[in-house]
């Protein structure tokens, strides 16, 4: 090894470690990459610096750089030099006094082992680590268990062959009498080892379950000592174990829930520690709802969580706090369990809290009501008048925090499925909300304006009585209101236009002028947020006014939306895609002139790589990197942008038809890739877009009306058939493993609609596969229904379902009914499969909504099958009688 090379390399690393400006960082990094990291000689040189340099910062940097380069160069090092390095690094890690350097050296060892162990080299490594773990010196035990923990990331399969020995070793280390570091690192190693425990290996499962109590004791010790970082690492392990197939926590599940809620409720602890405990409950409800149901602790859990919602929140709305995470627990409980198990418990507390003299309890009541509406929409529909009365009490409360929370509750209840019901109470709500938009507190104005926006969306003609006063106030807020209120006021103007229709004409010109001004703004994030909302709102106004009224403004507004796409802002790109979707629907073929710009922008977004979107670019060979040097997770802003782009492109093709054909092939390929995306909403958007493509090809062909029956009685054109052969297999592959209920619900809906529009040609070749997936839904065996149930004992009673489960079943039933419409008398073999399952939902013990679904589905099938239904009539009568 050339001493001059080592000395020069150390000088460069010193410059890099202590650089204080970007130019130096870039210059030295480039020099290292071009002059030193291109040869295997850098491996022993970096190790020399990592063990011998006086400055620990340089030693750590050298170890980090060494680990990056081991995968590329290690096998090119001579055997004798490799052996010398193995011995040197083991000695160095024992002698090293700095924790950060030790950890970096441990990862070097792990990286070398990844290459050596499969090739039967470094056979004494594990023995060395065992010796360290059994050393009387705590620092050596820390090194031993930390390296073992790191090895699970590189040679976990090899280590898993020695589970019993590791169990015995970790059983000692988890109870280390001297070092909390040893205990926490052992807990983390157990968390990684959990990945390798076979669910069918009862002995290994039982052994692991026996280690759970001491693991909890380690966490308790961290909490008692205020060791926040250690506690967070422990909670991350427990959270990770919740998603494993092996039931490692089952034996102690009830105790873990009690422990977590006790910690979350303990106001003597730091808020950060309480937040971790409550987040464990969020994960538990998300991934182990079957176990929670089996233990019958949903009501006690709600009872314990509710008081936490009445505690103080930090001013920063983005900061987690116990009360905010407690609300998150309530939300996931409400969406995961049947509403009759959650909402009555919550509402009992809400009624009690609203009578409390402490405004924090009244605030907690309103927020708890708001957060549990999502999972209880159908359940509370008959009680909407009472709910509105409760919210009105909150809106008129003397305390600012309560009024703000009541505005949030109104905003939650006035969206989606309950919007029309809430709008009927406009005479009670509008005067209260309207007056609050003039409140002296900017926060109240913000939330009141948002609630106003939500209500306006569905008021229709009822909004006309308020329109003059409403527009005066909203324009004033847009002109001179608080910065955070302006985008909401602008959105509310769009809602007012949507509701009032032609009556909005007197305000049209002034509003369009103001919106175009906002669409041209540049500046900070707040300004760009207003520009994004303006881009969204102008399309809403255009749709309300109609193409003739808006045509004079189309070119200018589209140009502004396109210019927004060029600004480095995901929000503006999303807003532009929303604009494109709505405007293409309004102007149809007239919008085709913009495709040459818009289609490439959509394609660019669909092709973006989330994993490389963090501004991280080492300029090095990717083989020299591993997961620990890369940012964890993905860029969700890009995921959101892809979702919106997929939504827009379906509408764009449907509206511009043949003009869009040059872009179909490339975009279809990207949409099919999006079906495998990590984001459930992106997968759902891709599904809708792909079925829209099929429908649009059929529309372009202008076929004769399809006729029910198999084989096909009306031929389908070649282009539509080709698109079906691309889309259906891809969607069915996604369906095979899809674990999100809403994605599967949407998929069933799209299948129903495409059969209704295009006929049996869409599903004739895939009927068996589709029937299999639908049957799994009725049997509650689909992946999206079993992801959080470990065994049949954990499955809930079919007579009680969460509303998301009910939506899924209803969508599947509608899909079956459409099958009968498309296949006609050829549906009989499929009917034999589905009838018992659908009829099972019609029994008296099942909830009314599911019974109505079953009866409606059977009625539709009977109508669509015609005379073929006759043979099923007698058995159906017997079923109803029984």
């Amino acid at each position: 090894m050339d001493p001059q090379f080592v000395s020069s390399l150390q000088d460069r690393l010193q410059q890099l470690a202590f650089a204080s400006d970007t130019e130096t960082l870039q210059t030295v990094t480039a020099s290292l990459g071009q002059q030193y990291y291109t040869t295997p000689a850098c491996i022993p040189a970096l190790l020399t610096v990592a063990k011998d340099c006086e400055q620990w910062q340089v030693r750590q940097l050298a170890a980090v750089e060494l680990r990056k380069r081991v995968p590329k160069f290690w096998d090119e090092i001579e055997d004798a030099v490799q052996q010398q390095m193995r011995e040197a690094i083991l000695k160095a890690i024992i002698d090293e006094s700095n924790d950060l350097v030790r950890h970096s050296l441990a990862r070097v060892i792990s990286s070398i082992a990844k290459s050596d162990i499969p090739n039967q080299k470094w056979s004494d490594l594990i023995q060395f680590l065992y010796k360290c773990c059994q050393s009387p010196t705590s620092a050596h035990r820390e090194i031993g268990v930390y390296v073992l923990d790191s090895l699970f990331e590189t040679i976990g399969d090899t280590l898993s062959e020695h589970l019993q020995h590791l169990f015995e070793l970790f059983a000692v280390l988890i109870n280390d009498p001297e070092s909390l570091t040893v205990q926490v690192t052992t807990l983390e190693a157990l968390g990684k080892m959990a990945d390798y425990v076979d669910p069918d290996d009862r002995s290994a499962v039982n052994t692991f379950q026996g280690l759970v109590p001491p693991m909890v004791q380690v966490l308790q010790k961290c909490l008692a000592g205020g060791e926040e970082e250690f506690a967070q690492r422990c909670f991350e392990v427990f959270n990770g174990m919740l998603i494993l197939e092996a039931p490692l926590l089952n034996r102690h599940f009830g105790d873990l829930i009690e422990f977590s809620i006790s910690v979350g409720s303990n106001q003597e602890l730091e808020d950060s520690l309480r937040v971790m405990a409550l987040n464990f409950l969020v994960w538990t409800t998300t991934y182990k709802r079957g176990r929670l149901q089996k233990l019958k602790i949903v009501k006690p859990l709600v009872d314990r969580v509710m008081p936490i919602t009445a505690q103080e929140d930090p001013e920063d709305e983005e900061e987690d706090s116990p009360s905010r995470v407690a609300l998150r627990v309530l939300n996931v409980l409400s969406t995961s369990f049947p509403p009759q198990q959650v909402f009555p418990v919550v509402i009992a507390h809400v009624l009690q809290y609203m009578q409390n003299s402490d405004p924090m309890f009244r605030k907690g009541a309103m927020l708890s009501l708001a957060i549990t509406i999502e999972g209880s929409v159908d359940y509370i529909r008959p009680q909407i008048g009472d709910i509105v009365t409760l919210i009105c009490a909150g809106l008129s409360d003397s305390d600012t925090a309560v009024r703000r929370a009541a505005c949030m509750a109104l905003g939650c209840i006035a969206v989606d499925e309950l919007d029309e019901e809430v709008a009927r109470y406009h005479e009670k709500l509008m005067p209260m909300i309207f007056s609050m938009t003039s409140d002296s507190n900017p926060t109240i104005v913000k939330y009141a304006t948002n609630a106003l926006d939500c209500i306006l969306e569905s008021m229709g003609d009822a909004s006309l009585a308020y329109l003059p006063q409403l527009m005066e106030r909203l324009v004033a807020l847009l002109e001179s209101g608080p910065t955070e209120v302006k985008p909401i006021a602008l959105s509310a103007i769009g809602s007012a236009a949507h509701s009032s229709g032609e009556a909005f004409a007197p305000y049209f010109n002034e509003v369009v002028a103001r919106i175009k001004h906002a669409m041209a703004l540049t500046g900070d994030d707040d300004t760009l947020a207003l520009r994004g909302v303006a881009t969204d709102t102008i399309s809403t106004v255009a749709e309300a006014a109609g193409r003739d009224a808006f045509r004079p403004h189309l070119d200018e507004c589209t140009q502004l939306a396109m210019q927004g796409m060029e600004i480095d802002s995901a929000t503006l790109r999303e807003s532009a895609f929303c604009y494109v979707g709505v405007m293409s629907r309004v102007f149809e073929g007239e919008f085709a002139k913009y495709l040459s710009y818009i289609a490439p922008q959509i394609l660019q977004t669909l092709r973006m790589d989330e994993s490389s979107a963090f501004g991280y670019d080492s300029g090095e060979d990717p083989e020299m990197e591993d997961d620990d040097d890369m940012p964890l997770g993905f860029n969700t802003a890009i995921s959101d942008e892809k979702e919106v782009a997929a939504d827009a492109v379906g509408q764009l093709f449907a509206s511009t038809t043949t003009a869009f054909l040059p872009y179909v092939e490339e975009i279809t390929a990207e949409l099919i890739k999006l079906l495998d995306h990590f984001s459930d909403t992106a997968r759902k958007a891709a599904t809708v877009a792909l079925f829209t493509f099929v429908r649009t090809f059929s529309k372009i062909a202008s076929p004769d009306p399809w006729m029910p029956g198999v084989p096909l009685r009306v031929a389908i054109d070649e282009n539509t058939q080709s698109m079906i052969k691309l889309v259906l297999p891809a969607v069915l592959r996604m369906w095979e493993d899809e674990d999100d209920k809403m994605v599967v619900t949407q998929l069933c809906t799209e299948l129903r609609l495409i059969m209704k529009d295009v006929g049996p040609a869409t599903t004739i070749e895939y009927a068996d596969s589709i029937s299999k997936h639908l049957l799994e839904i009725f049997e509650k065996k689909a992946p999206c229904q079993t992801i959080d149930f470990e065994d049949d004992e954990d499955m809930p009673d079919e007579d009680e379902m969460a509303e998301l489960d009910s939506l899924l079943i209803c969508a599947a039933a509608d899909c079956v009914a459409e099958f009968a419409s498309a296949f006609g008398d050829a549906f009989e073999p499929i009917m034999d499969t589905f009838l018992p399952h659908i009829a099972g939902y019609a029994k008296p013990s099942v909830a009314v909504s599911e019974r109505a679904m079953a009866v409606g589905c059977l009625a539709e099938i009977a109508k669509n099958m015609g005379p073929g239904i006759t043979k099923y009539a007698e058995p159906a009568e017997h079923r109803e009688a029984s």
Side-chain angles (χ1 to χ4, degrees), residues 425-435 452 455-456 459 466 470:
Y425 295 89
H426 63 86
E427 292 180 355
K428 289 180 69 174
L429 292 167
M430 286 294 286
M432 301 180 75
I433 293 295
F434 192 80
S435 67
L452 186 62
I455 296 173
L456 280 171
M459 281 182 61
Y466 308 98
L470 191 63

Side-chain angles (χ1 to χ4, degrees), residues 353-370:
Y353 287 8
M354 287 301 290
Q355 304 302 316
N356 197 302
S357 60
D358 185 347
M360 295 307 295
F361 277 88
R362 302 197 299 276
K363 175 219 70 167
M366 286 289 100
L367 292 178
S368 299
L369 177 62

Side-chain angles (χ1 to χ4, degrees), residues 492-509:
I493 289 173
S495 297
H498 173 80
S499 289
S500 57
E502 293 180 0
F504 193 77
Y507 311 98
F508 177 78
N509 289 330

Side-chain angles (χ1 to χ4, degrees), residues 216-491:
V216 174
Q217 289 170 9
V218 172
L219 175 53
Q220 287 176 318
K221 185 185 291 187
C222 296
L223 294 170
E227 297 284 355
E228 183 174 336
E229 181 187 349
F230 278 167
Q232 181 173 356
R233 286 160 58 181
C234 293
F235 271 119
E236 286 173 356
V237 170
F238 283 112
N239 289 343
M241 288 168 62
L242 287 170
I243 63 176
L244 297 178
E245 185 178 355
L248 303 179
L249 299 178
N250 280 14
R251 188 191 301 173
H252 309 283
F253 202 74
D255 294 335
L256 284 168
I257 297 297
E258 174 59 32
F259 170 75
S260 296
I261 191 61
S262 295
V263 171
S265 302
N266 188 349
Q267 297 188 59
E268 294 182 2
L269 292 172
E270 291 291 330
D271 279 359
S272 58
L273 300 176
R274 297 174 61 201
V275 162
M276 294 177 201
L278 291 168
N279 270 322
F280 177 76
L281 295 177
V282 173
W283 279 68
T284 298
T285 309
T286 302
Y287 293 105
K288 297 293 181 183
R289 67 166 175 154
R291 186 58 49 174
L292 279 177
Q293 190 127 323
K294 186 175 182 180
L295 292 172
K296 300 185 185 301
I297 56 176
V298 173
K299 181 184 182 301
L301 190 54
V302 173
D303 289 337
R304 300 278 293 279
V305 167
M306 281 294 299
I308 305 174
T309 68
Q311 294 170 13
E312 292 282 353
D313 289 323
E315 289 188 12
D316 184 354
E317 294 183 1
E318 301 298 320
E319 183 180 345
D320 264 347
S321 66
S323 59
R324 287 173 180 160
V325 182
L327 290 167
R328 207 173 298 152
V329 174
L330 290 178
N331 176 256
V332 73
L333 284 169
S334 74
T335 56
S336 301
F337 291 93
Q340 55 267 39
Q341 294 185 16
V342 180
F343 193 79
V345 187
V346 172
I347 201 66
H349 285 282
V350 168
L351 292 170
Q352 179 186 352
Y353 287 8
M354 287 301 290
Q355 304 302 316
N356 197 302
S357 60
D358 185 347
M360 295 307 295
F361 277 88
R362 302 197 299 276
K363 175 219 70 167
M366 286 289 100
L367 292 178
S368 299
L369 177 62
I371 211 72
T372 50
I373 286 168
E374 181 184 1
S376 311
V377 171
D378 288 329
Y379 184 81
I380 68 173
R381 197 182 303 276
Q383 310 167 50
I384 196 69
D386 295 334
I387 301 295
V388 169
T389 299
L390 263 176
I391 292 175
C392 286
L395 293 173
S396 59
D397 197 279
S398 59
D399 186 84
T400 299
V402 180
R403 295 201 305 278
R404 180 182 65 182
C407 287
M408 295 173 67
L410 181 55
C412 290
I413 203 171
V415 297
D416 299 331
E417 293 91 346
L418 290 172
D419 52 354
E420 294 181 4
E421 286 85 349
V422 174
R424 296 190 192 116
Y425 295 89
H426 63 86
E427 292 180 355
K428 289 180 69 174
L429 292 167
M430 286 294 286
M432 301 180 75
I433 293 295
F434 192 80
S435 67
M436 292 172 70
T437 62
S438 300
D439 197 282
S440 59
N441 187 311
T443 304
I444 292 294
V445 176
K446 172 184 173 181
Y447 284 101
T449 308
N450 184 68
L452 186 62
D453 185 17
C454 295
I455 296 173
L456 280 171
E457 187 74 22
S458 301
M459 281 182 61
D461 290 344
S463 66
L464 302 184
Y466 308 98
L467 197 57
Q469 188 181 13
L470 191 63
M471 289 304 300
E472 181 182 355
R473 180 63 187 144
L474 289 174
V475 169
L477 286 172
L478 180 61
E479 186 71 26
S480 57
T483 301
E484 65 270 25
V485 174
K486 289 183 178 183
I488 307 171
L490 190 52
S491 178

Side-chain angles (χ1 to χ4, degrees), residues 4 12 46 58 75-76 88 118 155 218 258 379 401 457 461 468 498 582 616 706 733 756 762 807:
Q4 181 61 39
R12 290 287 187 275
L46 283 167
V58 179
D75 290 338
E76 299 180 34
I155 58 166
V218 172
E258 174 59 32
Y379 184 81
E457 187 74 22
D461 290 344
H498 173 80
V582 175
Y616 180 93
W706 62 268
R733 282 195 300 273
K756 180 180 179 180
T762 51
L807 285 173

